[in-house]
Amino acid sequence: MWATAVSHPPLPAVATFRSNPKLFGDYIDRKRSFRFGFRSFPRKLEAAAAKKPLSDLDTQKSDNKNRLLLEEGDEGLDLGWLPAFPNVLIVSMSDFSFGYHIGVMNGPIVTIARELGFEGNSLLEGLVVSIFIVSAFIGSVSSGSLVDSLGCRRTLQIVTIPLILGAILSAQAHSLDELLWGRFLVGLGIGVNTALGPIYVSEVAPTRYRGSLGTLCQIGTCLGIIASLFLGIPSESDPHWWRTMLYIASVPGFILAFGLQFAVDSPRWLCKVGRLEDAKEVICNLWGKSEVDKAVEEFQSVIRNDGSDLESRWLELLEEPHRKVAFIGGALFLLQQFAGINGVLYFSSLTFQDVGISSSALASLFVGFTNFAGALCALYLIDKQGRQRLLIGSYLGMAVSMFLIVYSVSSPLDEELGHNLSVLGTIMYIFSFSVGAGPVTGLIIPELSSTRTRGKIMSFSFSTHWVCNFLVGLFFLELVDKFGIAPVYASFGGVSLLAAIFTKYFIVETKGRSLEEIEMSLNPNFSPRGK
């Protein structure tokens, strides 16, 4: 349920922007301050990138021409991902925090309601959960404007403040109002983090490893859920343990705030705001010295074509080519949510009870580990099989799983066999989701977006995600009570099939292409000389 001399001169219109040194601490000498300091390993370019138009992004040919190899003598060990890895790892802590807050209320909500005086009031119990989603929506909407001005790294660092304060306020709550305010603050931070984390990863990761490194966000979410479920086990015997769990929820925020001080800024954002030398240094350290000239030339060519003003406007999402990408981003998250992932996760504990797993915590852990296993498979497959193929396979697997569950509950099968098929279908569904629909959706949207509107498009897309998430959570049980589980799950399977078809005809493959190559190929009005 988450980027030497150049052939073009620097852009004067954006060169004057600087962060406020008193506010953000940019007074630190970047040359001497510590950064995650893995230098790019020596490489050689097997062949130059093809320069022909990429209307269908024929990536298989490009991969053969763009592969970066380690120099001879390194025994064939491919460590090109390593320089960017510490930066991506620290940003994945925001997704760990997201996952932790998803699961932190799973077990203790009953004891929290009893202690704070709203036990038995399902409306208030639902409000404690749903206010998190509402504020996450607000955070997502605001993230698009913040990232244009401050960049991903600094914005992610600033929003650790509501994450930390919200967790501590929730832990110290002695009334429902205090708990709700704490959950609201946490949701604000999560809303920004989930939108900007994939952007940061896509902009700092080397092209060849962008998919695999992007999957770390999904892995972070899975580990956060698992950690919260493990830590929630003592809450069954200790009625006050929930406070300890919420205090622990502030720890990822502290780690993220501290670690981001040593992470690099996106080289694309640095070039956009006129910090050309800093951008070159980051590219050299993360991607290799041989990539500096080519990357900066591409960055500047795209910036000139998009316009040199720093911030984009929301109305630009109604213009081509941004309109199509915004539509794709919103549609992907709408299909992802209405394919039923949150409903299935909600109902999974009852499914496991049917086969004798009476502990909801144990059932949730089983689901969490299945989700984690799928994310690990995605880590291996995404840069080999490609985004489109993984998405299609994921949604087809989800559809088959849903129809298997529908068959198990609708057909006159032996009761034990029916329960076993339901569990098998649930596991298949969660695994299929975590292989493709989960990690790929958040990654491919920034890949398809232009440099100018990437923040706004991700903001819009994740806002759609939170709205759909809220609606599924609000109406799922009511629909099950009215129509039964089989028709509801059949509709989830139908949406999954629709998502596979949508992916086939609307999603182009982005594997093996730089963000600038993708942008140039998708913009029919692109001019290498700019506007």
Side-chain angles (χ1 to χ4, degrees):
M1 339 160 41
W2 193 23
T4 47
V6 292
S7 59
H8 302 289
L11 299 176
V14 298
T16 57
F17 179 88
R18 285 290 187 275
S19 298
N20 185 330
K22 294 182 179 179
L23 182 60
F24 300 123
D26 283 347
Y27 59 87
I28 299 175
D29 185 350
R30 296 181 184 275
K31 297 292 185 180
R32 296 190 303 168
S33 63
F34 176 77
R35 286 284 183 264
F36 292 122
F38 290 97
R39 288 280 178 174
S40 182
F41 289 85
R43 303 167 181 267
K44 59 184 178 182
L45 202 59
E46 193 174 79
K51 295 298 182 181
K52 63 180 181 180
L54 307 173
S55 57
D56 58 353
L57 294 179
D58 187 5
T59 55
Q60 290 184 348
K61 294 181 180 179
S62 175
D63 278 352
N64 293 332
K65 296 182 179 182
N66 281 306
R67 290 181 181 274
L68 293 174
L69 304 175
L70 292 177
E71 291 283 4
E72 296 177 4
D74 284 344
E75 300 179 356
L77 184 63
D78 189 350
L79 296 176
W81 52 269
L82 188 57
F85 177 75
N87 301 278
V88 175
L89 182 63
I90 195 63
V91 168
S92 71
M93 285 302 299
S94 64
D95 295 277
F96 180 92
S97 181
F98 173 43
Y100 188 91
H101 282 287
I102 289 175
V104 73
M105 291 291 174
N106 188 67
I109 186 63
V110 175
T111 55
I112 293 173
R114 185 180 302 127
E115 183 171 340
L116 298 186
F118 58 95
E119 184 180 13
N121 191 325
S122 58
L123 179 62
L124 292 179
E125 289 180 4
L127 182 61
V128 170
V129 176
S130 62
I131 196 170
F132 172 87
I133 298 175
V134 172
S135 59
F137 169 80
I138 297 172
S140 291
V141 170
S142 63
S143 65
S145 299
L146 290 172
V147 70
D148 283 343
S149 300
L150 304 176
C152 283
R153 182 181 73 90
R154 191 61 73 187
T155 304
L156 288 169
Q157 193 171 34
I158 290 172
V159 298
T160 58
I161 296 173
L163 273 178
I164 294 169
L165 292 180
I168 294 174
L169 180 59
S170 300
Q172 294 179 340
H174 294 286
S175 69
L176 176 61
D177 288 344
E178 292 177 350
L179 180 63
L180 290 176
W181 275 113
R183 294 285 289 170
F184 183 85
L185 288 173
V186 166
L188 284 178
I190 293 297
V192 176
N193 282 344
T194 51
L196 299 191
I199 294 179
Y200 180 85
V201 173
S202 68
E203 292 193 351
V204 303
T207 297
R208 187 182 176 191
Y209 312 98
R210 193 172 59 235
S212 297
L213 290 174
T215 307
L216 290 179
C217 295
Q218 176 75 5
I219 291 175
T221 302
C222 296
L223 291 177
I225 295 173
I226 292 171
S228 67
L229 294 175
F230 262 121
L231 290 171
I233 293 175
S235 67
E236 297 178 358
S237 57
D238 184 352
H240 303 295
W241 179 250
W242 64 273
R243 295 188 183 276
T244 302
M245 292 182 66
L246 288 172
Y247 276 122
I248 294 174
S250 66
V251 174
F254 283 112
I255 295 174
L256 186 62
F258 179 75
L260 284 169
Q261 190 61 33
F262 307 110
V264 298
D265 282 301
S266 159
R268 291 172 169 93
W269 179 79
L270 289 171
C271 194
K272 184 178 178 180
V273 299
R275 291 165 53 179
L276 193 59
E277 293 305 316
D278 289 338
K280 291 179 179 180
E281 182 179 353
V282 171
I283 296 167
C284 182
N285 290 341
L286 298 188
W287 305 348
K289 187 176 181 180
S290 62
E291 292 292 296
V292 173
D293 292 346
K294 175 178 176 287
V296 171
E297 183 177 350
E298 286 185 347
F299 295 172
Q300 292 192 320
S301 180
V302 164
I303 291 170
R304 279 194 303 274
N305 196 79
D306 281 343
S308 58
D309 52 321
L310 185 62
E311 295 190 21
S312 59
R313 295 173 291 105
W314 280 102
L315 290 178
E316 290 181 48
L317 300 194
L318 300 178
E319 303 170 359
E320 290 295 353
H322 314 305
R323 179 172 58 189
K324 183 177 181 179
V325 179
F327 164 75
I328 290 173
L332 280 177
F333 272 120
L334 184 147
L335 292 167
Q336 182 203 64
Q337 291 302 301
F338 285 110
I341 181 61
N342 289 305
V344 174
L345 290 176
Y346 186 94
F347 211 70
S348 62
S349 59
L350 297 180
T351 303
F352 283 106
Q353 285 178 16
D354 290 338
V355 294
I357 303 176
S358 58
S359 171
S360 60
L362 184 60
S364 297
L365 276 175
F366 197 86
V367 169
F369 280 115
T370 302
N371 204 6
F372 179 64
L376 289 180
C377 290
L379 177 72
Y380 176 76
L381 293 173
I382 192 167
D383 282 321
K384 297 180 181 295
Q385 299 300 319
R387 284 61 155 163
Q388 188 189 47
R389 184 179 295 182
L390 217 56
L391 265 181
I392 292 174
S394 173
Y395 278 118
L396 290 177
M398 291 162 64
V400 170
S401 303
M402 285 291 94
F403 295 140
L404 178 62
I405 297 175
V406 171
Y407 174 75
S408 70
V409 299
S410 303
S411 301
L413 298 172
D414 175 74
E415 183 177 1
E416 182 179 356
L417 175 61
H419 290 163
N420 288 333
L421 286 178
S422 294
V423 171
L424 176 62
T426 300
I427 294 173
M428 286 173 54
Y429 176 91
I430 294 168
F431 183 84
S432 298
F433 174 86
S434 59
V435 167
V440 176
T441 303
L443 175 67
I444 199 168
I445 298 171
E447 290 183 330
L448 294 174
S449 305
S450 69
T451 298
R452 178 176 176 78
T453 60
R454 188 167 291 130
K456 294 289 194 304
I457 288 176
M458 284 296 284
S459 176
F460 166 76
S461 301
F462 267 94
S463 298
T464 304
H465 165 274
W466 291 114
V467 170
C468 296
N469 186 317
F470 178 80
L471 292 175
V472 171
L474 183 64
F475 293 111
F476 173 72
L477 287 181
E478 184 177 341
L479 291 173
V480 170
D481 290 339
K482 186 173 183 179
F483 299 106
I485 193 66
V488 174
Y489 272 28
S491 68
F492 289 163
V495 173
S496 297
L497 285 178
L498 181 62
I501 296 171
F502 179 87
T503 300
K504 172 68 175 177
Y505 290 102
F506 283 88
I507 303 299
V508 294
E509 185 54 68
T510 57
K511 174 174 72 82
R513 297 293 186 187
S514 72
L515 299 183
E516 288 67 36
E517 286 179 306
I518 298 168
E519 181 174 350
M520 294 173 197
S521 69
L522 294 179
N523 186 353
N525 300 319
F526 183 85
S527 170
R529 295 184 178 183
K531 294 181 179 181

